[in-house]
Amino acid sequence: MDLSKIVSYSFKYPFRSIKKMLVICLFFILIAIIPIGLMINNDYVVAIGVIAFFLFVLFVPGYFLSIVRMGSTQSALLPSFNLVNNIYDSIRVIFLRMVYMIVPAAVFLIAFKLLSSSSRDLILEFFLNLNFALLLIILIYLVFEFLLFFAKARLAYFNSLPEALKINKVVGDIRRIGIFTIIKWAIVMLILLVVAGFVSSFVMAIPYVGFLIYVVVVIPILESIANYSLGLLYSNIAKSYDDDLGNFRNIEYHEYGRIK
């Protein structure tokens, strides 16, 4: 699928099922409770918001993973809600992020340890070292965030956490898609999402309800677009996996007379 179709289909996707999109929006109310509690200075509302936030974390990441899965198979449907499956997928997504962030976290801790033990008498040298350390941490974080993006797509397509944890396979997927294709896709989608987010952010100027509208309506729509777009991009190589599997099954059938 070429870039123009990926962009076009992605921005149409959230509006293919308004009912399901409304349910997604309702779940985003859960993360708006804490800010609302802080604004009205009500500790009880904040406490409820903390519980609601954990419910959000347990459900929503898994649902967005199923949107990536839909994109990887080039399905135009919004996925159905399944509490057990969505929670299971959310746990896998969270675990995947924790694993991929081990290296950036380790680099941060090592850099912090080295800087804290260095002499602070030479202020200029200290700040030069600090800037270098921050640059190194940011670069490593971006590299693993980039890998995590496609590990998530691999998790969605293969429905297998071990497959998503194989960094060499993830790197292989990136090579098969093409780094220049990914860069073009990332630049176009980023620009369009930022523009859409900026334009829609003017609703926040509406007293009281503006913030709620942005969090509950705008953010879930943009998230749906981004995740579906990732799935569509991955579908370009997902088809080749299907073809390889089909060829393998044909070989099995001819050699053994049946598919095992």
Side-chain angles (χ1 to χ4, degrees):
M1 183 177 292
D2 60 38
L3 182 58
S4 61
K5 288 184 178 179
I6 290 176
V7 172
S8 175
Y9 293 166
S10 297
F11 276 82
K12 292 176 183 176
Y13 181 73
F15 308 101
R16 293 187 181 275
S17 178
I18 300 299
K19 289 182 179 179
K20 288 181 180 179
M21 199 65 226
L22 287 174
V23 175
I24 300 174
C25 292
L26 288 176
F27 272 99
F28 271 76
I29 293 176
L30 297 176
I31 61 172
I33 295 176
I34 294 179
I36 291 173
L38 293 173
M39 283 190 294
I40 64 176
N41 196 25
N42 190 311
D43 293 337
Y44 294 106
V45 175
V46 172
I48 294 172
V50 171
I51 298 172
F53 176 77
F54 281 108
L55 293 175
F56 174 89
V57 170
L58 277 175
F59 183 84
V60 174
Y63 186 78
F64 280 131
L65 182 69
S66 62
I67 288 181
V68 178
R69 187 176 296 120
M70 287 295 183
S72 68
T73 58
Q74 296 188 5
S75 171
L77 300 175
L78 267 77
S80 299
F81 295 95
N82 186 307
L83 187 62
V84 174
N85 289 342
N86 293 145
I87 290 176
Y88 176 59
D89 281 343
S90 291
I91 292 171
R92 292 196 294 175
V93 170
I94 292 169
F95 181 79
L96 187 67
R97 171 166 285 278
M98 290 173 62
V99 171
Y100 271 78
M101 288 298 110
I102 288 175
V103 172
V107 172
F108 172 79
L109 292 174
I110 292 171
F112 179 79
K113 181 68 176 177
L114 291 175
L115 287 172
S116 62
S117 61
S118 63
S119 174
R120 292 176 180 249
D121 295 333
L122 302 175
I123 298 177
L124 180 60
E125 182 181 349
F126 172 78
F127 278 106
L128 287 175
N129 290 334
L130 177 63
N131 290 334
F132 175 76
L134 289 175
L135 180 61
L136 179 64
I137 291 167
I138 291 171
L139 287 175
I140 292 175
Y141 168 78
L142 290 176
V143 168
F144 277 86
E145 189 70 38
F146 180 74
L147 291 172
L148 177 60
F149 215 54
F150 291 93
K152 181 180 175 182
R154 191 172 180 85
L155 171 61
Y157 181 73
F158 287 99
N159 197 26
S160 169
L161 184 58
E163 282 293 329
L165 291 172
K166 296 175 181 177
I167 295 183
N168 61 320
K169 296 289 187 180
V170 174
V171 173
D173 287 344
I174 292 171
R175 287 176 176 171
R176 292 178 72 180
I177 295 172
I179 191 66
F180 291 111
T181 299
I182 292 172
I183 290 173
K184 287 191 295 183
W185 165 79
I187 291 173
V188 172
M189 289 301 300
L190 182 62
I191 291 173
L192 291 176
L193 289 172
V194 168
V195 170
F198 176 75
V199 172
S200 55
S201 67
F202 286 104
V203 299
M204 294 185 69
I206 303 173
Y208 304 109
V209 298
F211 168 79
L212 189 62
I213 293 173
Y214 188 80
V215 171
V216 174
V217 178
V218 177
I219 292 179
I221 288 176
L222 296 180
E223 282 287 334
S224 299
I225 292 171
N227 282 279
Y228 188 66
S229 176
L230 172 62
L232 289 180
L233 180 68
Y234 195 81
S235 72
N236 288 334
I237 61 168
K239 186 178 184 300
S240 66
Y241 283 124
D242 289 339
D243 293 340
D244 292 343
L245 181 60
N247 293 333
F248 174 74
R249 286 178 173 172
N250 286 334
I251 293 171
E252 269 196 327
Y253 182 81
H254 288 298
E255 287 184 353
Y256 301 104
R258 61 187 177 87
I259 298 175
K260 294 183 178 180

